Amino acid sequence: MKPAKEIRVGNIIMVDSKPMIVLRSDVNGSSRTGFTYKWKMKNLLTNSPMENVFRGDDKFDVVVLDKKPVTYSYFADPLFVFMDEEYNQYEIEEENLGEALNYLKDGMECEAVFYDGKAISVELPTTIQRVVAYAEPAVKGNTSGNVLKEAKLENAIESKRHTIQVPLFVSQDDTIEVDTRTNEYKRVVRN
Amino acid sequence: MFPEKTSTSLAIFCKVVDNFGDIGICWRLARQLQSEHGVAVTLWVDDLKTFQRICPPVATDSETQEVAGVTIRHWRDQEGVFAPADVADIVIEFFGCDIPPGYIAAMVEREPRPVWLNLEGLSAEEWVEGCHTLSSPHPRLPLTKYFYFPGFTGKTGGLLRESALEDQRRQFQSDPAQVAAFLARFGVTPEEMAARKVSLFCYPHAPVRELFDTWQAGAAPVLCLVPEGVAADAVRAFIGADPVAGAARTQGALTVRVLPFVPQPDYDKLLWACDLNFVRGEDSIVRAQWAGRPFVWHIYPQDENLHHKKLRAFLQRYSPDIDSANAFNLLWNGAMGEDASVADAWRPFQEDMERIAGRSAEWQAQMLANGDLVSNMLKFAASKR
């Protein structure tokens, strides 16, 4: 069993004997009871969404799910299609992809997560490389420091392009490394 | 009004962590539920000694007793086997305290199941509105708890307020003889009555010595009334003797008087009688708001200075345009940096006192419009039954 404070977006937990995927977690400071966790979840059996609130020390059974390496193939509105090594195709709803959608790219390798034989979400590698699709021009002489600017990353669905904070010296068309757990810029990848 | 007024039972589980705040809130809640709504209340509390300080009739050695129509049970531990019939219609766990597993098991067996509320802490932060009344399904049992937040907007549960409180306050404050007689009980002389009267209730880390220095060196006389045990080191240093009830000393423009620890109704009167109230935690800040007088809040400290965030959220709602009030409150809570001084922050605060008092009255009207916590909570519970 895991306390709520250790549950991450994408985890499947059992709530009153129902498997629920955590789609979004908003953590808020509370009084002395510690943090309050407001989760948007979806019942994997009925697809019905729920919004609930928990204390950080509420404990849940986390369901360990089967995983399989897959690559992203194409978007068959409204489903995202992934393929494994044996060319089996798995369709996953946009809502279940959560933040993975921000980094989705044709041919991208990731792990599909299965519940009861059905692919329900994907997990990304911890770090990935992406090309900067748009950023304001680099500032001359500014190669270090803490000042940041916004950069849009290249991905499969243009309308879903993700914006992250990068240092001023990062330019359009640079390839950068991003931590998918925190959505933080790590470094520029120089060839 | 709760539809099953005469037959509704309600249990409050209270763990005393923050001195008098927890039991202070729960006791007010219990009494109002019983006296104004006819609810049969059982208050489970783990620390009867602290309870007795704010409610002297409470016996500290009794397992079960009745005070002011409320059944009080000593909550000794997490053990115990309970029957479904032992479970109330509405169960409140205060501040997320863990109620005994045996009681929860009995809640599952009870038909109909009780309405289970986690009454949370007071905060002006915006996220509270998004979590207020949200359900919290039990991870393993067929039970649903609801988070219930007191607060400062119509999207929260409002603040604790007895229906007669406002009339009582007006009547008291409009009768100088009554105010004088009340303060005379604590040794306040007619000369001291003419000074700026301040009540002081704070946690030990408040910069009380600096405040005393500032008042002592000031031009206007200040009478500071401090309950026994509060700011003990600073009071001892000022008085030059043990800060026991009845001790007093005047130095420069400042007189400090130590009061006995007073029961809740008298604490309200103390707030009403003073021109400025320093309050701490959750219970007393709510009472200070109903007093309609300027106040300074010493907020319950939290790790990583999360309480500063809570304080700023409150000030943003309460006094967004009164810089002096904001600065003094931030300073009092150590949120202004090491260079800030009490003397520098006190001067503009003092000059703005009339304006702050005006704001107190407006704020009170604003809070009244949100209804009171107990009535709002009973309406919500009725909607879940």
Side-chain angles (χ1 to χ4, degrees), chain B residues 234-247:
Chain B
V235 175
R236 182 182 293 108
F238 183 85
I239 292 180
D242 280 345
V244 294

Side-chain angles (χ1 to χ4, degrees), chain A residues 15 18-21 41-50:
Chain A
V15 180
K18 300 176 189 82
M20 312 287 292
I21 180 168
M41 300 190 287
K42 194 170 84 167
N43 184 327
L44 291 176
L45 302 177
T46 63
N47 273 338
S48 53
M50 292 177 76

Side-chain angles (χ1 to χ4, degrees), chain B residues 204 226 228-237 241 243:
Chain B
V226 52
E228 194 174 22
V230 173
D233 291 343
V235 175
R236 182 182 293 108

Side-chain angles (χ1 to χ4, degrees), chain A residues 81-105:
Chain A
V81 183
F82 295 79
M83 192 178 286
D84 67 13
E85 284 178 337
E86 285 107 33
Y87 304 107
N88 297 309
Q89 292 193 356
Y90 306 102
E91 296 170 332
I92 302 177
E93 293 159 43
E94 176 177 332
E95 192 183 42
N96 286 7
L97 288 173
E99 291 191 341
L101 202 61
N102 297 330
Y103 302 108
L104 212 53
K105 196 177 163 188

Side-chain angles (χ1 to χ4, degrees), chain A residues 1 14-17 28-33 35-36 38 41 50-55 57-61, chain B residues 17 22 93 95-96 98 120-121 125 127 130-131 134-142 147 300 302 306 310:
Chain A
M1 293 220 289
M14 298 303 288
V15 180
D16 188 17
S17 306
N28 293 295
S30 177
S31 50
R32 57 153 202 270
T33 51
F35 290 94
T36 298
K38 183 179 171 185
M41 300 190 287
M50 292 177 76
E51 198 167 54
N52 299 117
V53 62
F54 298 98
R55 288 160 44 197
D57 54 2
D58 284 341
K59 291 188 176 62
F60 297 86
D61 284 322
Chain B
V17 175
D22 303 287
E93 62 175 45
F95 266 4
D98 288 318
E120 268 292 342
E125 293 164 287
W127 66 267
C131 290
L134 263 194
S135 61
S136 182
H138 193 283
R140 286 164 300 285
L141 300 171
F147 275 52
Y300 183 79
Q302 287 180 262
L306 278 176
K310 280 180 74 174

